[in-house]
Structure formats: C-alpha cells, structure tokens
Amino acid sequence: MLGPLGVWTAGGEAVRVPEAKVRLLLADLLAHEGRPVSADRLAFDLWGDEPPGNPVNTLQTKVSQLRRALEAAEPGGRELVAHGPAGYALRVDSSTLDVLRFRELVAAGRFGEALALWRGEPLAEFADAPFLAPVVARWAGERLAALEEFAESGDVDLAPEVARHPLRERLRGLHMRALYRAGRQVEALASYAELRRMLVEQGLEPGPELAELHRAILNHELAPVARTNLPVAVTGLVGRDQAVRDLCELRSRLVTLTGPGGVGKTSLALEVARRLPVPDGVWLVELAGVGRAEQVVSAVADVLGVREDASGTALVEALRGREVLLVLDNCERLVEPVAELVSRLLRAVPGLRVLATSQEPLGLAFETVWAVPPLDLASAVTLFAARAAAAAPGFTVTPDNAPVVEAICRRLDGLPLAVELAATRVRGLGVTALLDRLDDRFRLLATGHRDAPARQRTLRAMIDWSWDLLGDAERIVLRRLSVHVDGCAPDAAEAVCAGGGVAADEVLDVVTRLVDRSLVVAPEHTGQPRFRLLESVADYGRERLREAGEFEEVRARHAAFYLGLAERADPELRASGQLAWLDRLDADTANLRAAHDALDPAGAARLTRASTWYWFLRGRLREGRRLMTAPDPVTAAWRAGFGVLLGEAAEPSAITGTAGIEDRRERARARWFLGYVLSTVGDMPSGEELTDRALAAFEELGDRWGVAAAHSDRVSQALARGRVDEARASAARADELFVALGERWGQLKASFGLGMLAQLAGDHERAEAVHRDGLRVAEELRSWPEVSYKLSWLGRVALLRGDYAQARELHERARRAAAEHGFSPGEVYAETGLALGARREGRLDEAEAHWERLRSWHRQVGFEAGATLVLAELGFVAEQRGDAARALELQSEGLALARQVGDPRAIALALEGVAGALALAGDAEAAARLLGAATAARASVGVPLPAGERGDVDRIAAAARAALGPESYAAAFTTGHAEGLHTRVSKSVIQNSPASAGEF
C-alpha cells in the first residue's frame, strides 16, 4: 500500500490481481486495515452514482474473483477475504500489511526501517478514487511525522520534504537545526526568512518555538539536552506499541496509569517518559518505599535536588518557569498525600506534567485515568518466549508447543509479571509440566528475579501487596466474589456477597472501591456492567474464602442464585426480551455450569430443564445432551430431540413417554419439539402427528407462542402433502403471532416458511430478501443452526438463478457453520445444496459422492422416506452418464418411496426421473406420457416447476420430442397429463433390469 498496490506470496512471488474493479475492491479493503466494510459502502466506492443493475450481486462476483486470485496464488488465500454481519474484511496484520508494519516500527522507535517501507506515492493508480484520497493523505501525514521523529536523532536530508511542505513549522525547524549543526548558519537563517516571508504574505508570523530557535541560531545558543534519571531499558517492552503511541499523544497534564499488580504500569510509564520531549527534564520518583504521608514531599524533592521543608513551597519555586515531567510510581499506598501534592504543583507550575502509576486513581478533577490492560494473547506469548529463551537458551515457540504456551498465558490472564515468572520455570519443568502445575500457581511461581522489588518476586507477594491495602468489608466481598466463574452481574454480586458484616445495599459500593483499586475488573462501559476477577486474584480469593470457613456456604448461595436466574430466564426466552436474556445467559454460562456441579440431583435436574431452550437457541446441543441425565419424561423427550438433531435415531420410548408428563404446557412443548425435529430430518408423518397434538393443546391453553411455533412447522408438513394453501395460511399465522409477541427466534422461524413459499412461486427476489432478513436475525441471535439453514436457503436461491459459484460459497459456509456446532441436519441440508449444484455444473462424480453420503445419513437416522430427492438425483447422475439401467433402477425406487410418502411434488420428480431413464433407453413415448403426468401432478397442488429447476425436464422433453416428432410427443404428453398422479409405469424396454417389470 505504501506505493503502487502490490501483492506478494509468503515466498515473495508477485501475485497478479486481474481486472480494474477487483484491484479497486482490494485497495478499498486494504485501506480499511482489517476493519469490516459494508456491502453498500463497497458498492458505492466501486461504482459511485452509476451502479450496475444489481450492485450487491455484482459486488459478490468481484469478491469471488478476488478470492480466486488469492487462492490461486497460495492455498488458503481465499480465506483472507472474510464476511460477517458488518460486511467484508481483509484479514491482515503487521506481518502482512505494510501500513500496519510501518506503524509498529514507528511505535518501537525504529524510524529508519519504517520509512524504508515506502516505495512511492501510495495507491497512485487509484488517484481518481475519491474515497481513497483522505486515507492516502492520512498515511502521508503519518510518514511525515515519522520522518520528523527520525530527524530528531538521526541524520536525515530534509530539504526535499521542506520543499514539498514549506509551511510545516516543525519540519522547517528540524531542517534549520540540522543546517546550523552542519556549520551552515547562513542557510539556516535564510530558511527561516523564506518561511517568514510566505507567512507574512498570508497575514501570519512564525510560531514562538520557531522564533526562539531562530534567536538561538543568531546567538549561537541552542537549547541544552534534557536531563533525566530514568533507568536505561535493558529489555524491550512487549505488546505496548499502541499504548505508548496513545499515551504520548495525550495532552492532559496529569495522567494516571491504573491496573492490577503485575500488569506493567511502571514499564509502560517509563517507556512513555523516554519518548516524550521535555525541555527541562524527566524525573522518576519511586514511592513504593515511602512509608508515611509526610515523606511524599521530601521524596520528590530528593529526586529533584531541592532542599525542601514540609510545606512544599521550595518545590514549587524550583519548578516554576520550567517544563518538567514527573513520573510518580506506585502511588497506591499514599493516594491522598500524593493527590494533595500533585494538585498543588500542577496549579502553581504551568509547565509541569505528571505521569503517575497506581492501583487506584488519584481522584483529581483534571486527572486522565488510563487503565493498563493485560497483554493480548499474541503479545503474552511473545513475552513468554523471550523470557523463557533467556532462562533456557534454545527455547522457542513451535507449532507443537504453541497451544501449551498459549494456554499458560491465558491462565495467567496475560499479566506480564506472572508470564515472566512462569517463563523462568521453563528450564526446570518444560511448558507441559508448567501448565499442569498452574492449579497451584502460588507455590509454582514462588521465585523471581533477585533484582526485582520484593513485592514482584513472587505471584503471592504481588497480590499480598494489594490485599494489605483493603479494609474488612473489601476483603469480605473480594473473597466471596471469587466463587463466581468468569465474572458476574451486579445482582449476582449482591446476592452472593452480602451478609456477615456487609449489607446487601453496601455490596456494590464496596465492589466499586475494589474496581478503583484494580482488584476487580469492570471492562464494559455501556449496557449492563459485569465484574470479573483475574484468574490469579480469583485463586487467591478462594484461598482466603476457605481460610474464613465460608467456602461451602458461599458456593451454595451462588448455585441457588443461578438456578433462580435460569428459571426466570426460561419464559423470557420466548418473549420480546429474548435478546437481552440470551446475552445474560451467554455471559453467565460458566456460572450456570458451576451451579449445576454444585446442586443436588433434584436442583441439577431443575437447572437442566430451565436451560434446555437456551441450549437449543444457541446450538449447544452436545452440552445439553450430556447434561440431560434425569429420568423424568420431560427431560427424556428433549434429550431425544437433541439426539435427533445430532444425527441419532429417535427414541420411540421418549415419544410415547410424553403421555406421562403431568403439566399440560410442558407436555405440549415436548411434543411440539419432537414434531419439529422429526420434520427437520424428514420424518414428516411422525412429525405432523406430534405437531397436530401439540397445536390442539396450545390452543386450549391459550399459549400464543406455542400456536405460532406449531403453525411454523405445519408449513413444511403441509407442503410435503401438497397442501400449498394450508402451508400459506400456517406461514401467515405463525408470522402474525411471532411479530405480535416480539419474539425474534419465532420471527426467524416464520421467515423460513415465507421464503420457501416465495421460492416455490418463482419470486426469487422476494425469497432472497426474506432469507437475508432471516440470516441477519439469526446472526443477531447467534443461533448457529438457523444461520446454517438461512445460508443454505440463500444458496438454493442462487442455484435457481444459475449463480453456481455463489451457491457453492453459501452452501459451504452453511456446512461449516453447522459442523462447528454439531448440528447434523444443517450439515445434511447444506450438503444437499452442494450436491444439487455439482450436478448442475456437470461435476457428476462429485455430485454422486455427495448423494451417496446423504443416502447413508438417511439410513442411519432411520428416515429413508426423506431420501426421495437423493434417489432422484442419483438417477439423474446415472442418466447423464448414459447408464439407462442404473437410472431406471434408482428412479423406480424413488417413485415407489414417493408414492408411499404421498407428496405430489415428490411423485412428480420421480416420474420425471423415470421419464429420463426411459428416454435414454429408447422408449420416448413412455417418457413423454410420464412428463405429462408429472406436469399434472405439480399443477394439482398449484406449484408448477420453477424456471430455474426445469433443466432436467427440458432436456428429457427435447430428447423425447426429437425421437417422436412434435405431434406424437404432444399426444403422449396429453395422455399422461390426463392420467396425472394415477398414471401407471409398466414394463420397461430395458432388458434384465431389476426394475424392468412390474408396476411402480
């Protein structure tokens, strides 16, 4: 990007990206540096006010071309172009995109390497693309800023840049300084005169800093180098490049770095202090060893070399008129006296800035609080590798040990001190044993570097330092919070932490103080807050909880709260507040699992029943199946339903056992769910019977959600019987009720029927719009089974339109989404789409492999009646290969099965398949008659064959018409049309075929 657009493989080979719009698309994605870009924005960027007829589809074509170009260059390249709810994004990082690498090098102070990445004018070939102009201008500004930083300490020829940017004062000043130091005082003064002349013409004067530099050059006196007592860095600062950059840009005179012990506040503060240009010095004041409030003033005075009295007056006078940065380290034990001194100094000394580190803020009105986060995983691994290699020469992170190292860093929350302490143990233990021993982390990490402060030599000492600062109420609440897993909401904190000296209405105040002291993490600043402990702090808290003799009591209180939470949430998951409750249960999943383990069998069974619908909505089928161990008929029914969705055969006893469910609503819901899953996998007769019984019960109970859910299932069940009008009525009823209830999953479910009916009617635009809306809702719900289904339906629409590449991409995404969550029917449905597309593209071997796998799946789950389409498609594959006998065998088997099921559309498909086999074998008259019968069968349910699915019929009809002639073909077709569903298929002309005789 930092020059003409160029793409290279990992091996350095140039990659050709053909076609101007595809290159412009690539430039657009790269310009967003990995952030997602909506399809509408991309389409506008590419075509402006003159878009093609269908800009979104055309954009998808360009995306597919880009993916193909990247894949052709290097296997896996197509995956670089990702798509999500927010749009398209290009997966890049500093190792793959030069702009990001440039910023990384600049943040590390490696300006020469950074500037060497520039190859010319960025994206010059797209100079007429208006959306790229501000991006290129921003990059150019970053380059110029880096060049100026480099010139502060390096020998750089600035003359060309001054010529290009003659009014940029900092650049001009650096150039003047360089000229003066090179003995070219006259030229330096001439440069100033040139700038002043240009500014005066605009009614301006040079700024005071440049004017002072001019005076110093005239008098041969440049400002002296700033003084400092900062220690020299002996190791690199890992993972803080962006933080250093952001902090250096802050203009606040007081910045306090907060965070838990060991997070690296001091290291970050020192690095920032080294980078900031301060004329009169940068001074570090270490307060960890200061024991009393009255010693704070003298500690600062000692560092500055000021003879101080207790009032602080001499400090003010010593600093007045100077530009100084004070770094006050480890203020947490002396927050009040430090705050008092800082307030006085900043008010009296305009040129003073203060950078403080503390586990809690100083609490001053003009303070900027900057919370230092733990390292991200990649940075933590980098730090671990560096420190482990220092302790055990030769150690490196390899593909084999990388998962173990990552697990260690996650377990240690990315705290730099903890990661470094762990790395020192690699020499004696290796990484696997180190990970295994982290359950006893305080004993494991009990030794550190001798030159570290005492509070940082062991993990326990680090947390002891913070614990000693707490009052009684803070210690009580902190240790009780440790029973939570992965955080908790305020109501949970109040319920679990109250009592024994802390009133319920005091808990949140205490928690807030713990947040201020960096012992509790509250990462969310919008929506409902959550409180979390770092894992090391949580382990420490549980130790203290056991020491206090409260562990079992608090654990029981925790389990009771989350059982109640699940039971409150269950009905809300079928109402308008569904999304909020899904988010709450997502956040508390780990707590719910811990509660299940702590409850007695009866309580665990209640929690399982209350969680079942949540598990289904989130696609957590295996988890639910594993925990549904209670023998009651409600649990048995839902367990059987989950099993079917996971690819198992239905348990007949679970279906009949629903009669033993005493609660009428629970009984109706269990039957509805079983009817739903059986219909999903193709057992329409069994599913329809259960749905009808559930619907009758829901109507008697006045359960509008249940009525809507049952009607949504009746759509596919009615279509399977050819009752299109009934399907339309049920689809409309389900949509009406779910919209009135405000229930998002239900609306998603109803959209399935509406989209399918639009598709059957040949209204592809309406079908696609409905399915895209449904996909958006499914992604919003994070309901991955429904995401899979919606992707497959969009794939089916693409097939009907003849866009095979788009169909294949959508079906592959659908299959991956289903496989990742163990959702077997979704995988089957997606593979069905892939199989349909493969045959239509002429890839017969691939299609046959897909269909044979699908046929085995239907046999495995016991629903061979769902295999009518499989048999028809396998028959068409055989026909297109010229194997008439095999085609007739498969199509005849499919016809018998379709007549057994009773779906007129399935019968029509089978008749068309047999017609194709007979036409290939030479019996054109029989083929024409069967095509007529199939047309009548489709007309009988008001659903003629859509134009996008007529390929097989048109092919077979053309062969029969060519053999018979138009008049004989029309006569045979009319005879078959009159017979319709009752047409007879008699002995074939194919000799010795297993299906050559008899009637089907």
Side-chain angles (χ1 to χ4, degrees):
M1 301 290 282
L2 302 181
L5 177 63
V7 183
W8 292 269
T9 66
E13 297 178 5
V15 177
R16 178 176 176 269
V17 179
E19 213 259 301
K21 289 296 184 187
V22 179
R23 289 177 61 79
L24 184 58
L25 169 64
L26 175 60
D28 202 347
L29 293 172
L30 287 170
H32 284 81
E33 302 172 6
R35 299 184 299 275
V37 194
S38 70
D40 291 342
R41 170 66 188 274
L42 287 171
F44 182 80
D45 288 348
L46 264 62
W47 292 286
D49 294 325
E50 297 181 1
N54 190 331
V56 173
N57 275 5
T58 308
L59 173 65
Q60 291 170 347
T61 300
K62 300 304 177 189
V63 171
S64 296
Q65 289 177 259
L66 176 57
R67 284 174 169 155
R68 283 197 297 272
L70 298 178
E71 183 70 24
E74 202 159 42
R78 67 178 295 106
E79 300 300 326
L80 293 174
V81 185
H83 185 261
Y88 293 92
L90 204 64
R91 293 193 174 104
V92 292
D93 56 28
S94 60
S95 68
T96 55
L97 182 60
D98 56 3
V99 173
L100 300 180
R101 177 58 177 163
F102 168 79
R103 293 191 185 128
E104 182 177 79
L105 291 169
V106 167
R110 296 155 65 181
F111 301 106
E113 294 177 58
L115 293 166
L117 294 174
W118 285 72
R119 299 175 289 109
E121 194 68 24
L123 304 178
E125 67 182 284
F126 306 111
D128 58 347
F131 68 92
L132 286 176
V135 179
V136 171
R138 185 175 71 249
W139 291 344
E142 290 180 52
R143 174 188 174 276
L144 198 53
L147 183 67
E148 290 171 340
E149 289 291 336
F150 191 32
E152 290 278 5
S153 58
D155 185 13
V156 183
D157 182 10
L158 296 177
E161 296 299 331
V162 170
R164 294 176 63 189
H165 307 280
L167 297 178
R168 189 175 176 100
E169 292 200 8
R170 186 187 181 196
L171 182 64
R172 178 75 67 162
L174 289 166
H175 188 223
M176 290 168 56
R177 192 183 298 270
L179 290 170
Y180 176 79
R181 287 174 175 166
R184 299 159 65 184
Q185 181 189 21
V186 173
E187 292 177 53
L189 295 172
S191 180
Y192 178 83
E194 177 188 39
L195 172 65
R196 186 175 183 278
R197 178 179 50 76
M198 288 187 287
L199 289 174
V200 167
E201 289 174 355
Q202 301 179 31
L204 301 172
E205 286 285 346
E209 292 183 6
L210 200 62
E212 176 59 23
L213 176 62
H214 176 249
R215 187 197 64 78
I217 291 175
L218 275 174
N219 298 327
H220 296 277
E221 52 179 29
L222 288 180
V225 178
R227 295 175 295 123
T228 182
N229 69 338
L230 294 181
V232 176
V234 293
T235 58
L237 186 63
V238 175
R240 301 298 194 194
D241 294 344
Q242 186 62 49
V244 171
R245 190 158 50 244
D246 292 345
L247 286 165
C248 286
E249 291 175 358
L250 288 179
R251 292 295 173 258
S252 174
R253 294 179 61 210
L254 170 60
V255 177
T256 302
L257 305 186
T258 64
V263 80
K265 300 182 293 296
T266 300
S267 298
L268 178 57
L270 292 176
E271 186 62 26
V272 171
R274 294 185 187 105
R275 299 283 185 90
L276 289 174
V278 185
D280 297 315
V282 180
W283 303 98
L284 170 65
V285 182
E286 173 57 69
L287 296 173
V290 177
R292 298 191 306 275
E294 60 270 20
Q295 295 176 326
V296 171
V297 173
S298 59
V300 177
D302 288 345
V303 169
L304 293 175
V306 176
R307 295 185 61 182
E308 185 53 73
D309 55 37
S311 68
T313 304
L315 264 180
V316 171
E317 293 304 319
L319 291 170
R320 198 185 302 276
R322 299 172 63 191
E323 292 186 38
V324 172
L325 172 65
L326 285 182
V327 181
L328 304 181
D329 194 28
N330 293 296
C331 301
E332 55 269 0
R333 287 182 178 267
L334 299 159
V335 169
E336 291 187 8
V338 170
E340 182 180 347
L341 175 63
V342 167
S343 178
R344 181 179 181 188
L345 291 177
L346 288 176
R347 293 176 191 279
V349 184
L352 176 65
R353 297 175 65 183
V354 175
L355 179 59
T357 74
S358 178
Q359 290 187 19
E360 63 178 299
L362 300 185
L364 296 174
F366 43 82
E367 177 182 28
T368 296
V369 179
W370 209 94
V372 180
L375 294 175
D376 60 43
L377 182 59
S379 298
V381 169
T382 300
L383 177 62
F384 182 93
R387 302 299 183 263
F395 173 83
T396 58
V397 176
T398 66
D400 291 334
N401 66 22
V404 180
V405 174
E406 289 174 0
I408 292 169
C409 294
R410 277 193 294 266
R411 292 284 306 278
L412 296 173
D413 299 300
L415 282 176
L417 177 60
V419 170
E420 290 185 326
L421 290 172
T424 64
R425 304 305 303 273
V426 168
R427 182 175 183 178
L429 293 174
V431 292
T432 302
L434 177 60
L435 176 62
D436 293 341
R437 292 168 184 258
L438 278 183
D439 288 336
D440 191 9
R441 65 183 63 200
F442 297 114
R443 179 176 297 178
L444 176 68
L445 306 182
T447 58
H449 297 294
R450 293 187 180 93
D451 59 347
R455 67 184 185 282
Q456 294 183 353
R457 290 181 188 171
T458 72
L459 189 61
R460 184 182 299 280
M462 179 185 77
I463 303 177
D464 281 339
W465 170 270
S466 302
W467 179 265
D468 291 343
L469 298 173
L470 303 181
D472 289 343
E474 293 167 330
R475 293 180 181 183
I476 290 170
V477 170
L478 182 61
R479 70 185 183 230
R480 290 176 182 171
L481 279 175
S482 69
V483 78
H484 292 92
V485 187
D486 201 22
C488 67
D491 57 347
E494 289 177 320
V496 175
C497 297
V502 181
D505 60 1
E506 296 175 338
V507 169
L508 292 186
D509 287 339
V510 177
V511 172
T512 300
R513 293 203 299 272
L514 291 169
V515 171
D516 287 342
R517 293 178 181 274
S518 302
L519 284 166
V520 173
V521 181
E524 297 177 13
H525 301 290
T526 59
Q528 290 298 318
R530 284 186 67 81
F531 306 115
R532 181 175 64 87
L533 302 183
L534 298 179
E535 190 171 333
S536 296
V537 176
D539 281 357
Y540 185 93
R542 284 188 287 271
E543 282 192 8
R544 294 290 188 174
L545 195 62
R546 288 187 173 90
E547 287 176 8
E550 293 183 331
F551 185 79
E552 293 302 330
E553 175 193 347
V554 174
R555 187 177 184 226
R557 200 184 303 168
H558 171 275
F561 174 84
Y562 285 101
L563 171 57
L565 177 71
E567 291 183 333
R568 291 200 312 276
D570 188 32
E572 299 295 338
L573 292 177
R574 298 177 178 85
S576 59
Q578 182 184 66
L579 284 175
W581 278 99
L582 282 170
D583 288 343
R584 176 65 191 274
L585 295 178
D586 286 346
D588 277 318
T589 291
N591 282 310
L592 290 164
R593 288 170 179 159
H596 183 278
D597 294 342
L599 289 165
D600 62 22
R606 284 173 55 194
L607 181 55
T608 296
R609 287 195 295 274
S611 303
T612 297
W613 188 239
Y614 165 70
W615 287 330
F616 169 76
L617 290 177
R618 280 293 182 246
R620 296 178 182 171
L621 303 177
R622 296 192 187 282
E623 179 181 0
R625 185 83 167 78
R626 177 175 56 81
L627 294 178
M628 292 177 187
T629 56
D632 64 279
V634 175
T635 304
W638 287 86
R639 181 173 62 238
F642 275 36
V644 171
L645 293 177
L646 288 167
E648 302 171 4
E651 300 174 19
S653 61
I655 298 173
T656 57
T658 56
I661 300 174
E662 296 181 6
D663 184 277
R664 294 175 64 201
R665 193 182 305 273
E666 290 281 9
R667 182 166 64 245
R669 285 184 177 170
R671 285 174 171 166
W672 164 78
F673 184 65
L674 286 167
Y676 161 77
V677 299
L678 291 174
S679 300
T680 293
V681 298
D683 189 356
M684 290 297 181
S686 301
E688 189 171 10
E689 179 184 352
L690 286 161
T691 300
D692 287 345
R693 295 172 71 182
L695 178 58
F698 286 138
E699 288 175 335
E700 287 180 15
L701 291 165
D703 186 333
R704 293 194 300 159
W705 185 92
V707 171
H711 271 294
S712 69
D713 290 332
R714 294 191 75 184
V715 175
S716 57
Q717 294 165 356
L719 286 175
R721 296 289 190 188
R723 302 192 294 265
V724 179
D725 290 341
E726 183 180 323
R728 288 196 181 98
S730 284
R733 180 65 172 149
D735 185 57
E736 174 192 7
L737 286 172
F738 279 133
V739 169
L741 289 167
E743 204 270 65
R744 303 288 282 164
W745 178 85
Q747 293 173 50
L748 171 63
K749 187 79 166 58
S751 74
F752 159 78
L754 295 172
M756 182 163 58
L757 288 165
Q759 195 167 318
L760 288 175
D763 189 347
H764 298 157
E765 287 190 8
R766 167 68 176 158
E768 182 175 15
V770 169
H771 291 316
R772 286 209 177 277
D773 285 345
L775 176 61
R776 178 179 52 79
V777 175
E779 291 175 335
E780 181 182 48
L781 285 167
R782 298 196 296 281
S783 178
W784 308 121
E786 297 299 339
V787 166
S788 173
Y789 274 143
K790 284 300 176 184
L791 287 169
S792 284
W793 274 106
L794 287 168
R796 298 297 201 277
V797 175
L799 276 179
L800 290 173
R801 286 178 162 167
D803 189 346
Y804 297 131
Q806 177 73 358
R808 184 164 59 252
E809 180 180 345
L810 287 163
H811 283 120
E812 285 288 6
R813 286 173 57 194
R815 181 162 66 171
R816 286 197 301 271
E820 286 170 3
H821 294 85
F823 184 54
S824 181
E827 287 189 78
V828 168
Y829 200 66
E831 185 160 15
T832 299
L834 290 169
L836 289 168
R839 185 174 71 82
R840 280 152 181 72
E841 291 186 76
R843 293 179 283 111
L844 299 182
D845 290 347
E846 183 181 331
E848 184 177 44
H850 283 306
W851 288 119
E852 288 295 351
R853 278 196 297 272
L854 291 165
R855 191 178 188 186
S856 298
W857 183 86
H858 281 287
R859 288 170 176 161
Q860 173 188 334
V861 299
F863 299 133
E864 290 194 64
T868 53
L869 175 63
V870 178
L871 290 166
E873 285 289 323
L874 284 170
F876 284 132
V877 168
E879 176 214 329
Q880 288 179 270
R881 283 176 171 159
D883 189 342
R886 178 62 176 160
L888 183 60
E889 177 187 354
L890 290 163
Q891 299 289 10
S892 300
E893 184 181 349
L895 177 58
L897 191 57
R899 283 185 164 155
Q900 178 183 329
V901 173
D903 179 0
R905 292 180 303 138
I907 294 172
L909 177 63
L911 289 171
E912 291 157 358
V914 174
L918 294 178
L920 178 63
D923 194 344
E925 182 178 357
R929 181 170 60 83
L930 294 181
L931 289 178
T935 302
R938 293 187 184 278
S940 71
V941 292
V943 185
L945 195 63
E949 295 185 6
R950 290 197 56 85
D952 292 316
V953 169
D954 290 346
R955 183 187 72 252
I956 296 163
R961 192 181 289 109
L964 293 174
E967 293 182 2
S968 297
Y969 174 85
F973 184 93
T974 301
T975 299
H977 196 278
E979 294 173 348
L981 285 169
H982 305 292
T983 191
R984 299 164 69 85
V985 182
S986 57
K987 183 174 181 179
S988 164
V989 297
I990 302 176
Q991 300 300 316
N992 301 319
S993 169
S996 63
E999 179 178 304
F1000 306 100

